[in-house]
Amino acid sequence: MKSIFLRIYGGMLAVLVLVAMLGVLSLHLVNEVRFEQYRERLARGTFNLMADNLRDMTPVERRRATAIWGRLLGIPLGIEPLAEQPLDQSMRNRLLGGQVLVELTGPHAARVYRLVSAEQGLVLVGEIRQISEQLARATLFLLADELVRYPAAEQPARLAQLKEDKRFGFDLKLVRLENAGLDADQSRRVEEGDTVMALGKGGDSIHVFAGLVGTPWVLELGPLYQMNPYPPQLLVLITVLGLSLIGLVVYLLVRQLEQRLQAVESAATRIASGRLESRVPTGGADSVGRLAAAFNAMAEHLQSSLNMQRELVRAVSHELRTPVARLRFGLEMIADAETEEARRKYLEGMDSDIQELDKLVDEMLVYARLEQGSPALEFQKVDLAALLDQVIADLAPLHGHIRVERGRLQPAEDGSSLVEAEPRYLQRALQNLVSNALRHAESRVRLSYRIEGQQCRLDVEDDGPGVPESARERLFRPFMRLDDSRARTSGGHGLGLSIVRRIIYWHGGRALIGDSQSLGGACFSLVWPRFQASREG
């Protein structure tokens, strides 16, 4: 038990450590993706704006514009053939799809690509060595150059359209100077045409302001947030806390499971020592709860089987004692017999006792086969009407003073009386019921059957004293007989009805005892599926 749970704990610990390592690796990959997306978001709008303006220019105008914009941005800027760029096919596809590509070339340096003309195979390339205030100023200059072409009243709408069309990764808006939230010095610098950078209210962002000449507007860019990677220390702390919490929860769950399994182990040990009444506490509908229920059912069956075995041993000893005693008495009397007629009488009595012993042994063997798990049953089509006729023909002559008759016969809707059964065992069960009825009937025994849908029923009735309701269930136990008018004097060993119940059990049915409404005695019934396939399905 302990080794099992040590392996469980060890395996879970290994899994948790592996999850922690994967978490660190995932954090690194997530930070790399976030950095890439952050760089692309900052560069996307500016490079889209420049590339779209360059598309309709002549080669000379393009060289002049890239030179001016390069000085404004503070970075080398040029137009180069796409075929000459060291890019893989995935990157080229992204460029051809209109995306801005940022390729990291150093700790703080990157190369930015934006397609200018797919027909000419030209791409705008910028070498950013360090992100600085000059990049923001250049973006403001490019936007202002676009806005001054429109009347002041139309500039806010044009700016919103530029933000959407060029896919800027930060906010752009036009505000009046008094609403910009600048102090006096910053307001003065904006009025003088300077570019002003101001911290956001939370201190974690930057806003860039520039006035538009000849308009009441101030162009505001931002807020621009600094890219902060997830710190590994935080991940380590979260991982440690998470592993500790998971480990505690897993330990509590597994500990509870271990205790419940130890209860099963203890009960099994007690049963092995002979305490068959031991049971496992059942609780919950989980696997362990189902295991406990199955264990208790097994223990109940084991206890019942052992008790039945003890009863069988006692009953067999009792049943054997009488014919053996009679045989011993017969042997003694033969030795003392004076005439041949007396000697023949004692021999006939001994032969009868031997036949009784042979019948008892036969019934015990049949019952043992039926009790040892599923016997080999070969189901076949059986005609109930023909079966009743055969049993009546076999048993009626043995009791000439009792009338054995057929009662109500109700075949299936198609007029057939065929059912699926094991012919030998079904005939044995019916013979046992009829023999039992003949021993207790006064003058009449009636056999009938009924087939309704997928169920069939055989009834054997007699006009004897009947069976008390309180004794009906235990009458099917081995060697069990009643002490009233259906008593030992009627003969039999008490195994016939037990065999009947086991036979019909392996047919998927049940044996019942009731009162005969027409004859006034007992009514023994067998009920089972007409077709065995319906029981299996």
Side-chain angles (χ1 to χ4, degrees):
M1 179 72 70
K2 292 183 179 179
S3 61
I4 293 177
F5 285 97
L6 284 178
R7 288 197 294 268
I8 293 177
Y9 293 140
M12 290 183 174
L13 180 61
V15 171
L16 293 176
V17 172
L18 178 61
V19 169
M21 296 175 60
L22 292 176
V24 173
L25 178 60
S26 300
L27 177 67
H28 176 72
L29 295 176
V30 167
N31 280 333
E32 288 294 328
V33 173
R34 292 178 65 232
F35 271 117
E36 182 179 356
Q37 293 176 345
Y38 175 75
R39 291 188 294 266
E40 290 185 2
R41 188 167 61 251
L42 290 181
R44 186 170 56 210
T46 303
F47 274 77
N48 281 339
L49 185 59
M50 291 189 295
D52 291 343
N53 288 337
L54 290 171
R55 183 179 298 111
D56 298 328
M57 294 183 182
T58 63
V60 175
E61 291 173 337
R62 288 173 178 170
R63 286 194 296 271
R64 184 184 303 114
T66 52
I68 296 174
W69 294 342
R71 287 194 297 270
L72 287 171
L73 292 171
I75 62 173
L77 195 66
I79 299 177
E80 301 177 7
L82 175 60
E84 297 179 2
Q85 305 307 311
L87 302 174
D88 57 30
Q89 188 59 42
S90 174
M91 294 180 176
R92 294 178 186 274
N93 292 336
R94 291 171 60 188
L95 280 176
L96 293 174
Q99 296 185 27
V100 174
L101 184 63
V102 180
E103 181 184 18
L104 193 64
T105 58
H108 302 286
R111 183 180 292 109
V112 184
Y113 301 89
R114 174 60 165 84
L115 186 68
V116 174
S117 173
E119 294 80 8
Q120 300 175 16
L122 298 176
V123 62
L124 176 64
V125 181
E127 296 281 349
I128 299 179
R129 296 182 178 86
Q130 182 71 39
I131 298 177
S132 66
E133 179 183 352
Q134 193 169 357
L135 293 175
R137 288 197 180 101
T139 302
L140 290 174
F141 173 80
L142 292 171
L143 290 171
D145 185 56
E146 289 285 334
L147 294 176
V148 296
R149 304 175 189 177
Y150 296 84
E154 299 178 9
Q155 289 175 354
R158 175 57 181 166
L159 180 63
Q161 184 178 1
L162 284 173
K163 181 179 182 300
E164 181 179 356
D165 294 344
K166 309 307 177 186
R167 301 172 60 207
F168 278 89
F170 42 81
D171 197 15
L172 300 172
K173 56 186 174 181
L174 291 174
V175 298
R176 295 186 181 275
L177 182 60
E178 60 271 17
N179 298 329
L182 301 174
D183 58 27
D185 181 64
Q186 291 172 333
S187 299
R188 178 185 56 78
R189 289 169 56 193
V190 170
E191 288 179 337
E192 293 175 355
D194 196 3
T195 300
V196 175
M197 300 184 69
L199 288 175
K201 293 182 179 180
D204 58 347
S205 62
I206 297 175
H207 296 256
V208 185
F209 299 89
L212 293 183
V213 180
T215 70
W217 302 115
V218 174
L219 178 57
E220 180 182 357
L221 185 152
L224 298 175
Y225 293 93
Q226 183 179 2
M227 173 61 189
N228 293 318
Y230 298 134
Q233 297 84 353
L234 177 61
L235 177 66
V236 171
L237 177 61
I238 295 176
T239 301
V240 171
L241 293 177
L243 292 179
S244 301
L245 180 61
I246 293 174
L248 177 61
V249 173
V250 168
Y251 172 77
L252 294 177
L253 293 176
V254 174
R255 178 61 181 171
Q256 182 182 15
L257 174 64
E258 181 179 9
Q259 291 174 345
R260 296 171 67 186
L261 290 179
Q262 284 176 346
V264 177
E265 180 185 15
S266 300
T269 302
R270 292 195 298 271
I271 290 176
S273 64
R275 298 164 60 185
L276 300 180
E277 72 282 356
S278 299
R279 298 293 182 269
V280 180
T282 57
D286 56 1
S287 299
V288 181
R290 293 192 296 271
L291 172 64
F295 181 89
N296 289 340
M298 178 198 68
E300 188 72 28
H301 179 72
L302 178 62
Q303 184 179 18
S304 175
S305 299
L306 290 178
N307 291 337
M308 185 178 296
Q309 185 181 34
R310 295 191 186 102
E311 293 178 3
L312 282 175
V313 171
R314 289 195 296 267
V316 169
S317 300
H318 178 78
E319 294 291 338
L320 290 176
R321 185 179 293 115
T322 300
V324 170
R326 288 201 300 262
L327 284 172
R328 183 180 295 111
F329 176 76
L331 288 173
E332 294 175 356
M333 296 304 296
I334 288 177
D336 298 335
E338 297 180 354
T339 64
E340 184 67 24
E341 182 180 356
R343 189 176 296 109
R344 186 182 306 108
K345 177 181 178 182
Y346 292 131
L347 286 174
E348 290 177 353
M350 292 176 63
D351 182 69
S352 176
D353 291 333
I354 292 175
Q355 291 181 5
E356 183 178 351
L357 283 173
D358 184 66
K359 183 178 180 181
L360 174 61
V361 171
D362 178 66
E363 289 188 349
M364 290 176 58
L365 290 176
V366 172
Y367 182 78
R369 283 197 298 269
L370 294 172
E371 276 291 325
Q372 293 177 352
S374 178
L377 302 179
E378 297 181 2
F379 291 100
Q380 302 175 16
K381 294 291 179 63
V382 177
D383 188 337
L384 290 183
L387 178 63
L388 264 61
D389 291 339
Q390 181 179 353
V391 172
I392 292 174
D394 292 340
L395 298 181
L398 302 179
H399 299 75
H401 65 286
I402 297 177
R403 177 183 175 185
V404 183
E405 61 187 14
R406 296 205 308 180
R408 180 186 179 188
L409 306 182
Q410 180 179 329
E413 294 181 356
D414 58 359
S416 172
S417 60
L418 294 177
V419 298
E420 282 189 3
E422 214 291 334
R424 293 181 298 106
Y425 280 118
L426 184 60
Q427 181 177 356
R428 178 65 177 266
L430 184 58
Q431 286 177 342
N432 287 1
L433 290 181
V434 174
S435 298
N436 178 74
L438 288 171
R439 282 196 300 269
H440 302 97
E442 293 182 1
S443 60
R444 296 172 64 187
V445 173
R446 179 177 296 164
L447 282 66
S448 58
Y449 71 83
R450 182 168 70 249
I451 301 176
E452 294 180 344
Q454 297 300 316
Q455 293 287 331
C456 50
R457 178 185 182 115
L458 274 175
D459 294 324
V460 178
E461 304 172 78
D462 63 66
D463 59 353
V467 179
E469 187 173 354
S470 59
R472 290 173 181 175
E473 179 61 29
R474 57 189 178 93
L475 194 60
F476 286 106
R477 296 178 185 174
F479 298 103
M480 181 61 65
R481 286 171 296 188
L482 303 182
D483 292 328
D484 53 10
S485 56
R486 300 177 85 95
R488 298 181 184 275
T489 55
S490 61
H493 303 286
L495 277 175
L497 294 182
S498 301
I499 292 174
V500 169
R501 168 166 281 191
R502 297 308 296 174
I503 288 175
I504 205 63
Y505 169 79
W506 291 118
H507 280 72
R510 62 191 188 278
L512 307 173
I513 303 178
D515 296 323
S516 173
Q517 300 298 323
S518 57
L519 300 183
C523 177
F524 289 78
S525 303
L526 302 180
V527 181
W528 75 99
R530 183 185 182 189
F531 300 109
Q532 296 301 311
S534 64
R535 176 168 66 94
E536 296 171 2

